[in-house]
Amino acid sequence: MRNLFSPSHRVTALVCGALGVALAAAFMGVRSGAEDEVARASEPRPARDVTPALDPWAAPETYTPSVILYDHFETLGVEDGLPSERITSVIAEGDDLYVGTDAGLAIRRGGVWSVLSEESGLAHRYVTAVARDAATDTTWVATLRGISRVSGGDVRTYTQLSSGLINDVVYHILVDGDLVWCATAAGTSVLDTRSGSWTLYNHENSIMHEPWCYSIATGPQRTWVALWGGGIVELDRRDGGWREYRDPDGEMELDLLADDGPIHEVTSFIAYDQGLLWQATYFGMARFDGRRWRSFTQAESGLPGDFVAHIASRGDACWIGSDEGFGVLRGDTCVSYSRQPDGTCSVTIVTDGEETETRTLATAPGDDYVLWTYPRESDVWIATGHGLTHGTATQNK
Amino acid sequence: MRHRRQWIISALLVAASAVPVALFAQDDGEKPPDERYGRTPKKLVPYRGVGEPARRFFATAPTFRGPGREEEPPPDLASVKVGVLAPLAGADAQAGRQMVQGIRLAFEDANAAGGFGPRKLPFEMVVRDESKAWGAAGDAAVELVHDLGVWALIGGYEDANSHVLTRVLLKLEVPNLNSAGVDPTLTEHMIPWLLRVRPDDRQASYRLAQRIFEDDGHKRVVLLRANSRYGRTGTKEFKDAARRLHQPVLLETRYETRDSDWVTRMARIRALRPDAVVFWGRPRPTGAAVKALRSAGIECAIYGPDRAVGAGFIESAGDAAEGFVFTYPMDPRTGGRGWQAFRARYVKRFGMSPDATASFAYDAAQMLVAATRKVGLNRVRIRDALYELRQVDGVSGTILFDTTQNNVSPVILGHIEQGELIFDG
């Protein structure tokens, strides 16, 4: 195993990258060598960011704006073209959708649905996560039996036996430039799509306390890995150095001080954007701005639930997928959405721990069991246990 | 004057010896131990002296709030398949054999009593070896659930495998009865699909701490443990207990599976003049460590958990094993409900006596059979039925589940005498 981010490898990667781009420009369309390299080089790509000493914790002058108060929900199901109503993940690009389910990957392009399953070459029917490389129009799919790359109608699968994937049970996949990061049951694997090489990280060659990885987040020159039983670890990609964030009290059964670090050692998901790192756990959430930690729970902060399976960050807000509903946290305000037995939606707004407002909407997400959210500026897609829900703000811009 | 001084010293000694007696006594004015997380004795509660923590977790049971309770089973089933993950090769193969045999006997009993449902479907075990590469347990679980359609999983044995298995449960949405794991953190996550049927190393640590510091009055204790995940996670609760009793271990040192040169470590241990050495590791390497301790002329008391005295320990330690005090997760002298009949059937069926691993595996399988018969073939409803259990009287004894559905029954002590495991209660 090699350190992809050591200074020597950075120089090598830079030189190789420049050569690759030059060659691709000269021989556009000519296929030779690894399929990955050619497929990637034929697309215009941003150069890898090698600017020294970027501060991942620098706050922007203004955060990316997003609606957090939605007033209308519509849910898609099997009748609309999905292979199952157990939705596990979703990505939206314009009107196109890439939807992970327990029965394959559903893609809606140009209003037309298609489904990829094991019969179509997908690694496994249970899709745990989806990632998109919009620059090359490639979809990366994490499953319980490896990962698949869907590009130009072709499906290529990578498994523990056929590639550098460290384990076939893949919980999260993320595209960051040329790199595809995979959080697996036995460590993190990174595929460099330019060279086709893999880098592996686990408890034997990194600071990971345990190798059981749940999710990945990337920011300026940093990668964070969510660990089961090990908090969060941070890789500084400039020099390959590691740092870990753990709950300082060292006990699983309690949180001694509220805002002294991650809220718990079992991190179920992480997300990063614009200087804020978010931690999801099965005990609540935490936020880190580079200096201070702040933790949030259902009882104290109005989260929809403490069992948080997924979070997505955008600007200074964080979208929450819990087993008791969906919500958005921004600053000290949390908006929680909960489906009522009559199909309406109860909206609760909590600020500084105090309930400040409740609303009832005529429509609600398909289910309160939420495994994934995908927020955009004025809408959100929600993966639920009963269908794929689209939340919009018709009045609350 | 001299007599008076002796009298005062004697009185002080009596008073000092009385202090630890109170450590594990029933607490006053606070929750009784049964209501505290992990049945933790009052003196061993983390951060007890600094006030109430900001948050206490595991106060309520994990709940599965997802869909699936309405789903019906396929109509053409020929059996009720249950996946079993056990070590079938390597150092833990003997334990894996006992585990599989315990489950097999439980299913044979269930099938003799009519199997499942009006069609009398037999309960069928589908066994997979967990002792392959680390992480293989997850792949095996995916195969068992998605390809073979098992209704529940029993296993694993090695805790690293069990952790991998536990994480994938949330995706597979299948109940998992763990009958052999000892890592206290295995159930500390709120994933609502896992039950642990045997007491863990937390209970073993509490019992050892009570014996070593209270009953035997030792003060200079050294920890000699395997340089492995099992050695690390197993000893955490013991070290915490020792520190909270103001008797922190003097030295924690480690051994590898194939260590042969013990001179430096034993010299360090001897220099500390320990009253006791606590061992934590697999049977054969631990036996070698015990032998090295005695060969170095260190004659202090020796202790360890049940897994240390498994198959191969006495052969490895030889005469040095004499007097080794160990914990055990059940009392094989009396067992629990139906113990004698179970033991007789087991001996007749497999030609060997059941150990704790076999007994807890049998109880886990019996619990699963009962839950399935109660609610039918639906994984979520089976899970719900298993999570309703608070106390189960099994062949292994009384199983007490806490809010995390972890068995927190107290463990017993035993010692090795003339090459035999003697159980003391």
Side-chain angles (χ1 to χ4, degrees), chain A residues 68 70 73 304 319-322 324-328 335-338 365 367-368 370 373 380 382:
Chain A
I68 65 172
Y70 305 99
F73 295 100
W319 282 254
I320 304 155
S322 86
E324 293 183 77
F326 141 78
V328 191
V335 185
S336 292
Y337 300 82
S338 174
D367 197 284
D368 281 343
V370 178
T373 65
V380 63
I382 308 165

Side-chain angles (χ1 to χ4, degrees), chain B residues 399-421:
Chain B
I399 295 165
L400 299 170
F401 287 114
D402 71 358
T403 51
T404 64
Q405 219 61 5
N406 187 31
N407 183 2
V408 291
S409 298
V411 300
I412 69 159
L413 289 171
H415 69 281
I416 293 177
E417 187 177 315
Q418 296 183 338
E420 299 288 333
L421 302 185

